[in-house]
Amino acid sequence: MEIIEEGNVSRLQFTCSVCATKFIANRNDIRHGLIAIREVHLMNNGIDFGPSKVYSYRNYVNCPLCFKEIPLCEAEKI
Protein backbone atom coordinates (compact mmCIF):
# COMPACT_ATOMS: atom_id res chain seq x y z
CA MET A 1 0.00 0.00 0.00
CA GLU A 2 1.25 3.46 -0.85
CA ILE A 3 0.11 6.72 0.76
CA ILE A 4 -0.56 9.34 -1.90
CA GLU A 5 -1.44 12.25 0.37
CA GLU A 6 -1.41 12.34 4.14
CA GLY A 7 -4.29 14.08 5.89
CA ASN A 8 -3.75 16.92 8.35
CA VAL A 9 -4.89 15.45 11.67
CA SER A 10 -3.51 18.36 13.70
CA ARG A 11 -6.43 20.59 12.69
CA LEU A 12 -9.11 18.60 14.54
CA GLN A 13 -10.75 20.35 17.49
CA PHE A 14 -12.42 18.42 20.29
CA THR A 15 -14.86 19.50 23.00
CA CYS A 16 -15.06 17.36 26.14
CA SER A 17 -18.64 16.55 27.19
CA VAL A 18 -17.63 16.21 30.86
CA CYS A 19 -15.57 19.35 31.58
CA ALA A 20 -16.35 21.42 28.40
CA THR A 21 -12.64 21.84 27.59
CA LYS A 22 -11.88 22.68 23.94
CA PHE A 23 -8.53 21.48 22.59
CA ILE A 24 -6.72 20.58 19.37
CA ALA A 25 -5.12 17.15 19.16
CA ASN A 26 -2.19 16.23 16.95
CA ARG A 27 -1.26 12.85 15.44
CA ASN A 28 0.71 11.75 18.54
CA ASP A 29 -2.37 12.14 20.77
CA ILE A 30 -4.53 9.66 18.85
CA ARG A 31 -4.92 6.24 20.48
CA HIS A 32 -6.95 3.17 19.53
CA GLY A 33 -8.69 0.59 21.66
CA LEU A 34 -11.92 -0.27 23.44
CA ILE A 35 -13.84 2.71 24.79
CA ALA A 36 -17.31 2.99 26.34
CA ILE A 37 -19.69 4.46 23.78
CA ARG A 38 -22.98 4.33 25.71
CA GLU A 39 -24.60 3.04 28.87
CA VAL A 40 -27.56 0.62 28.81
CA HIS A 41 -29.76 -1.05 31.41
CA LEU A 42 -29.68 -4.85 30.98
CA MET A 43 -32.78 -6.90 31.65
CA ASN A 44 -33.32 -10.50 30.45
CA ASN A 45 -36.19 -12.92 31.22
CA GLY A 46 -37.37 -10.74 34.09
CA ILE A 47 -33.92 -10.62 35.71
CA ASP A 48 -32.56 -7.12 36.22
CA PHE A 49 -28.79 -7.03 35.62
CA GLY A 50 -28.56 -3.28 36.18
CA PRO A 51 -26.60 -0.65 34.27
CA SER A 52 -23.86 -1.75 31.92
CA LYS A 53 -21.54 -0.06 29.41
CA VAL A 54 -21.33 -0.90 25.71
CA TYR A 55 -17.76 -0.85 24.40
CA SER A 56 -16.49 -0.37 20.86
CA TYR A 57 -13.03 -0.50 19.27
CA ARG A 58 -12.36 3.07 18.09
CA ASN A 59 -9.71 5.70 17.55
CA TYR A 60 -9.85 8.26 20.35
CA VAL A 61 -8.06 11.08 22.15
CA ASN A 62 -7.99 11.77 25.88
CA CYS A 63 -9.16 15.10 27.27
CA PRO A 64 -6.08 16.88 28.69
CA LEU A 65 -8.01 18.05 31.77
CA CYS A 66 -10.25 15.15 32.88
CA PHE A 67 -8.79 12.31 30.68
CA LYS A 68 -12.19 11.30 29.26
CA GLU A 69 -11.86 9.25 26.06
CA ILE A 70 -13.37 11.16 23.11
CA PRO A 71 -13.88 9.24 19.83
CA LEU A 72 -12.20 10.68 16.75
CA CYS A 73 -15.57 10.79 14.96
CA GLU A 74 -16.70 13.56 17.38
CA ALA A 75 -13.97 15.95 16.18
CA GLU A 76 -14.79 19.31 14.65
CA LYS A 77 -12.75 20.39 11.63
CA ILE A 78 -11.32 23.89 11.97
Side-chain angles (χ1 to χ4, degrees):
M1 185 180 307
E2 181 181 343
I3 297 175
I4 297 171
E5 184 178 338
E6 192 171 326
N8 187 1
V9 180
S10 64
R11 300 302 301 167
L12 295 177
Q13 178 178 324
F14 295 88
T15 303
C16 181
S17 61
V18 175
C19 64
T21 301
K22 287 189 175 186
F23 62 96
I24 296 174
N26 62 19
R27 182 176 295 280
N28 296 334
D29 297 326
I30 297 174
R31 305 283 181 249
H32 58 278
L34 286 173
I35 63 170
I37 56 171
R38 69 176 184 267
E39 202 162 309
V40 295
H41 193 86
L42 294 178
M43 200 162 182
N44 191 9
N45 292 333
I47 301 172
D48 187 6
F49 291 101
S52 180
K53 292 184 179 178
V54 177
Y55 289 87
S56 179
Y57 192 81
R58 299 238 175 124
N59 291 331
Y60 66 91
V61 295
N62 287 332
C63 173
L65 191 62
C66 68
F67 302 106
K68 180 188 181 307
E69 298 162 336
I70 304 169
L72 207 59
C73 62
E74 293 181 10
E76 304 164 10
K77 295 190 182 218
I78 57 171

